[in-house]
Amino acid sequence: MSKLLEIKDLHASIGGKEILKGVNLVINEGEVHAIMGPNGAGKSTLSAVLTGNPAYEVTSGEVYLKGQDLLSMPAEVRARAGVFLSFQYPVEIPGVSMTNFMRAAINAKRDYEGKEPISPKEFLSLMREKKKLLELPDKLNNRSVNEGFSGGEKKKNEIFQMAMLEPCLAILDETDSGLDIDALRIVAEGVNKLKTPQNASIVITHYQRLLDYIVPDFVHVLADGKIVKTGDKSLALELEEHGYENI
Amino acid sequence: MRISKGEIFERVFVNEEVNLQIDQEAGSHVKIHVINASFSITVNQLGEGCITEIYGLENLHGDESVTAETHVTHAVGGGTSNQLVKFVLADNSRGSFIGDLKIAPDAQQTEAHQTNRNLLLSDTAEMRTRPQLEIYADDVKATHGASTGQLDESALFYMQQRGIDKQKARQLLVNAFMKEVVETISDEKIKSDVLLLFEEEAF
Ligand SMILES: Nc1ncnc2c1ncn2[C@@H]1O[C@H](COP(=O)(O)OP(=O)(O)OP(=O)(O)O)[C@@H](O)[C@H]1O
Ligand SMILES: [Mg+2]
């Protein structure tokens, strides 16, 4: 099993306030890591820092993706190299259609891989196939990115984009929040179908329920900017029962 | 010029400075687009039930400086006017919008809208907006709005997170901003020409 992501003593701050205070984590290909932890612990900050959000400042530490220095890559290059974030709060982009957005994303990745732009026919059939996977309506193509989508539709749309881009490292930041029971199953099944021995995911959640569907190999507790406990899936059950008090 | 009773006057000016003084007779319809050029358009609705539409779209670079000026007067009631002017300002460009809207005391049941939206793409670009509304009739529906902002950083990051480089992301956002104006052009051929004009531009 080879190492996909390695985070070494990562410190990061926003607006001069230190949020991540020394995160260490190794993720191998094929693994699913759940990250749980109290509100404000820094889970979304970790996602933002790994994906190169310019609002955050990395003050020290190192991160390697397949041995490459991740922190030195611009955000879009990290994405093309296969790092994908399902946003806790997906952004609405009025006036930019899902079709134009998705085509730009796919072609950016193909260009990075030295491939020709996707043909219109191939693109449309790929969109159709992946929409089916998430049980999304056909009319999605012409709508603006996330504009007017319900909370659940936005989350589905994140996983749809993940299905389109087939990342090697997917970070799902509270993808389960706001989903009804059927949508949760559809989204979880979608994520499971995308799993391969070569890719890995980080699943950030507050609820054990999601982990019944997406079974993690490891569960980490992030509290006050650090991973304070790591266990297997039984840790999630334990947390569900006793909360974070004893940790 | 005078647009006679029931007549329709429709023009799209691209890269061409425009200076127009128009008197509208009852039931006439004026629809003007100005793309990428300064303009000064004065319209007087002199008869009942006139429709006036003025659209401006200014995409400025370098040291370009453009002034968009409208003077719309509803002298008689029952008319409609709609103004939508958008500026995209890059580099050191300068834009200004002066919009006068008058509704005379007798011009009851007038509907008048004036909107000016501007996008600043650099710290050194500058936009001045001076709307002036004089409404003397009481049974009217009038709205006006003016705003100047920057590209949405969270939308830019969202797109970058999907692999789209910053320049392309900016282009998608700017095109989305401009589309609202372009889409009001009636003639499909002209509309697609204008879209092409902006398509390949970098921001
Ligand atoms: N722009 C900002 N300025 C100052 N503090 C910020 C800013 N953004 C986030 N923070 C703070 O950083 C801390 C970590 O936030 P983060 O969103 O990473 O938490 P989280 O673990 O994802 O929480 P949740 O479970 O509620 O999603 C919080 O205390 C938050 O208030
Ligand atoms: Mg969060």
Side-chain angles (χ1 to χ4, degrees):
Chain A
M1 239 189 310
S2 55
K3 219 183 264 182
L4 182 67
L5 185 79
E6 185 172 18
I7 304 175
K8 289 181 176 174
D9 196 27
L10 184 64
H11 291 250
S13 58
I14 183 157
K17 183 179 164 206
E18 185 169 59
I19 308 291
L20 298 183
K21 302 172 179 173
V23 174
N24 290 286
L25 184 63
V26 173
I27 295 178
N28 294 307
E29 290 179 343
E31 292 178 350
V32 175
H33 290 242
I35 297 184
M36 303 181 83
N39 294 129
K43 302 180 299 296
S44 295
T45 302
L46 180 62
S47 324
V49 168
L50 291 178
T51 50
N53 188 327
Y56 297 81
E57 192 196 350
V58 174
T59 47
S60 67
E62 290 154 67
V63 181
Y64 298 97
L65 179 78
K66 295 180 178 169
Q68 276 187 299
D69 179 7
L70 189 71
L71 298 178
S72 69
M73 301 179 193
E76 62 266 29
V77 177
R78 300 184 199 194
R80 293 171 200 164
V83 179
F84 179 90
L85 172 61
S86 168
F87 285 69
Q88 182 173 0
Y89 305 109
V91 181
E92 298 194 6
I93 315 179
V96 177
S97 70
M98 273 304 294
T99 306
N100 283 346
F101 170 70
M102 229 39 255
R103 190 187 291 116
I106 291 270
N107 283 335
K109 184 167 191 226
R110 288 174 70 106
D111 183 60
Y112 181 77
E113 290 166 349
K115 292 182 193 157
E116 292 287 301
I118 194 165
S119 77
K121 203 173 148 217
E122 211 184 326
F123 176 71
L124 285 177
S125 76
L126 189 64
M127 289 277 278
R128 207 174 302 124
E129 179 197 326
K130 303 299 185 184
K131 266 186 296 191
K132 226 186 254 158
L133 182 70
L134 274 306
E135 300 184 17
L136 280 164
D138 253 343
K139 59 180 199 288
L140 179 88
N141 290 23
N142 301 322
R143 289 181 65 177
S144 293
V145 179
N146 291 323
E147 192 187 29
F149 287 30
S150 74
E153 284 170 343
K154 283 181 184 166
K155 296 303 177 86
K156 270 193 182 179
N157 190 26
E158 293 294 284
I159 304 306
F160 163 71
Q161 293 171 45
M162 172 181 165
M164 289 292 289
L165 295 166
E166 299 184 335
C168 66
L169 177 70
I171 305 167
L172 311 184
D173 193 353
E174 294 196 27
T175 299
D176 52 338
S177 71
L179 289 181
D180 67 44
I181 295 159
D182 291 332
L184 180 71
R185 182 183 44 76
I186 293 163
V187 161
E189 276 171 8
V191 171
N192 286 335
K193 275 192 199 135
L194 296 169
K195 197 177 166 187
T196 71
Q198 282 76 44
N199 63 25
S201 43
I202 297 175
V203 180
I204 297 171
T205 183
H206 288 294
Y207 305 106
Q208 152 64 26
R209 193 183 51 177
L210 177 68
L211 305 179
D212 285 338
Y213 292 100
I214 304 172
V215 181
D217 300 292
F218 300 94
V219 174
H220 309 278
V221 178
L222 186 79
D224 194 22
K226 272 185 192 164
I227 290 177
V228 293
K229 191 162 183 173
T230 293
D232 61 14
K233 62 178 193 264
S234 65
L235 177 57
L237 285 165
E238 205 178 298
L239 292 169
E240 183 109 319
E241 217 168 302
H242 304 292
Y244 296 109
E245 246 165 51
N246 304 324
I247 292 168
Chain B
M1 65 194 291
R2 204 172 177 87
I3 309 300
S4 52
K5 226 171 169 174
E7 202 188 328
I8 298 172
F9 174 81
E10 186 168 353
R11 289 283 186 284
V12 179
F13 301 92
V14 181
N15 295 323
E16 183 186 344
E17 232 180 277
V18 177
N19 254 299
L20 285 172
Q21 298 231 16
I22 299 172
D23 290 335
Q24 281 188 254
E25 290 180 7
S28 63
H29 187 167
V30 167
K31 183 170 178 179
I32 300 167
H33 283 82
V34 182
I35 315 284
N36 286 350
S38 286
F39 62 90
S40 172
I41 297 171
T42 302
V43 177
N44 297 309
Q45 291 195 359
L46 303 177
E48 291 210 336
C50 294
I51 301 173
T52 308
E53 297 176 77
I54 302 172
Y55 300 97
L57 182 57
E58 313 289 359
N59 181 25
L60 310 182
H61 303 269
D63 293 322
E64 282 172 329
S65 171
V66 156
T67 299
E69 203 174 326
T70 63
H71 303 273
V72 174
T73 302
H74 292 264
V76 184
T80 304
S81 70
N82 188 31
Q83 305 175 50
L84 175 65
V85 176
K86 284 189 161 189
F87 278 77
V88 178
L89 301 115
D91 310 319
N92 301 312
S93 60
R94 300 267 176 279
S96 75
F97 172 68
I98 299 161
D100 284 349
L101 177 62
K102 255 184 224 142
I103 303 179
D106 293 337
Q108 300 296 356
Q109 305 209 325
T110 294
E111 186 173 340
H113 305 283
Q114 184 197 78
T115 309
N116 171 228
R117 304 251 177 263
N118 313 301
L119 195 53
L120 294 175
L121 298 181
S122 86
D123 296 337
T124 47
E126 222 178 88
M127 182 70 207
R128 281 161 202 267
T129 293
R130 211 198 66 201
Q132 195 169 316
L133 277 77
E134 294 173 62
I135 299 171
Y136 301 108
D138 44 22
D139 182 19
V140 299
K141 205 168 165 195
T143 60
H144 98 102
S147 65
T148 297
Q150 279 143 10
L151 288 175
D152 178 356
E153 287 294 329
S154 60
L156 281 176
F157 178 68
Y158 189 78
M159 290 197 258
Q160 282 175 280
Q161 209 310 296
R162 299 304 187 240
I164 301 168
D165 64 61
K166 205 162 184 175
Q167 179 161 319
K168 175 78 183 173
R170 285 164 72 94
Q171 189 188 39
L172 285 169
L173 290 182
V174 172
N175 281 334
F177 178 83
M178 299 196 297
K179 214 164 61 179
E180 190 192 357
V181 178
V182 180
E183 270 170 1
T184 58
I185 298 175
S186 320
D187 186 302
E188 291 300 329
K189 170 79 175 71
I190 299 174
K191 190 193 290 186
S192 68
D193 285 350
V194 172
L195 281 174
L196 273 179
L197 187 72
F198 295 125
E199 199 115 293
E200 297 308 323
E201 250 187 271
F203 296 98

